[in-house]
Amino acid sequence: MATSTIANPILKVATRHMTTDLDLTTGEAAALLALAAQVKRSPRKYAHKLTGRYLALLFEKPSLRTRMTFELAIQQLGGGAVFSEFNGHRIGDREPIQDVARNLERWVQGIVARTHDQRTIDELARWSAVPVINALSDLYHPCQALADFFTLQEKFGELRGLKLAFVGDGNNVAHSLLLTGARLGVDVAVATPPGYEPNPEVLAAAQALAAASGATLRLTHDPFEAVQGAHAVYTDVWASMGQESEARRRRKSFACYQVSEKLLAAARPEAIFMHCLPAHRGEEVTDAVIESPASVVFDQAENRLHAQKALLLMMLS
Ligand code: CP
Ligand code: NVA
């Protein structure tokens, strides 16, 4: 996990953060998935583990799943959360981000932030003496990826050797799936339209993780090539939050990248369909696919709760 020591002179011990997927070591990511399984099986055992611990939730963008599951997770562990919505504003608009961090650290034991710019999360982490967790930025969605690989592990038992195909925009969710998948030994293929490929720096970091784990990564513009041999076919919206003005143009560019029954049938016979949600039926996925028995989208949503409980136990205990 990222650490902050330099910025705050009164800080004695390095604070761990999860600003990107890169902040968890491979051992920590595997331990988190194992803990999530235990927490899911025996929630009562963990009911008082974070008594008296509070989270600040700072959200610059809308949320259903992330907000609900963080609030419920901390409450079910005995703690509490305070939500602050920055609708239409940025966290640093009213006062410097470094001051926001140094106020919050006096009141709460953790900061969960959903931002437009990754830089905002990095800056919060630089100044905060309490852990900062990325709840989605323009570049990453690490909490989503943790829940997704937990879901894959539940469905298939062993992650190593699985293949996940992501079809659509090379966005924050694709980045986190590449990084965490490569780390955990899952082969990841990404099919995007030309011009919408994943960020090259994120890709390079994922390649380094894949080299260490033995996973393979593949980029293509052909969705049928990507899904070949895949255990999971994953998609996300074509225009992410903050890209609403590009929606019409993107609908044209992405028209051939819809996850349809035909595309899903080109994956393995037992392949599952995954989506972080919210979904735009009729755009990135057909109604038939998202409502099909192959769809695990609500299991993913449920697992956000269990995976984030495990994350909070690891970061705030
Ligand atoms: N998948 C996800 O992060 O959903 P929300 O935007 O509703 O939090
Ligand atoms: N890529 C999407 C994910 C939403 C959970 C977005 O950033 O809007």
Side-chain angles (χ1 to χ4, degrees), residues 44-71:
R44 278 201 220 122
K45 227 176 95 185
Y46 298 87
H48 304 291
K49 294 281 186 203
L50 295 184
T51 298
R53 309 290 167 94
Y54 290 87
L55 287 179
L57 268 53
L58 314 182
F59 278 45
E60 292 179 347
K61 294 171 173 172
S63 170
L64 174 68
R65 282 147 291 272
T66 309
R67 177 182 176 177
M68 292 293 281
T69 52
F70 266 111
E71 290 198 12

Side-chain angles (χ1 to χ4, degrees), residues 59 62-67 114 135-136 141 144 241 276-278 304:
F59 278 45
S63 170
L64 174 68
R65 282 147 291 272
T66 309
R67 177 182 176 177
R114 168 168 285 197
L136 181 147
H141 198 359
Q144 182 70 50
M241 291 179 278
C276 55
L277 304 180
R304 293 291 303 275

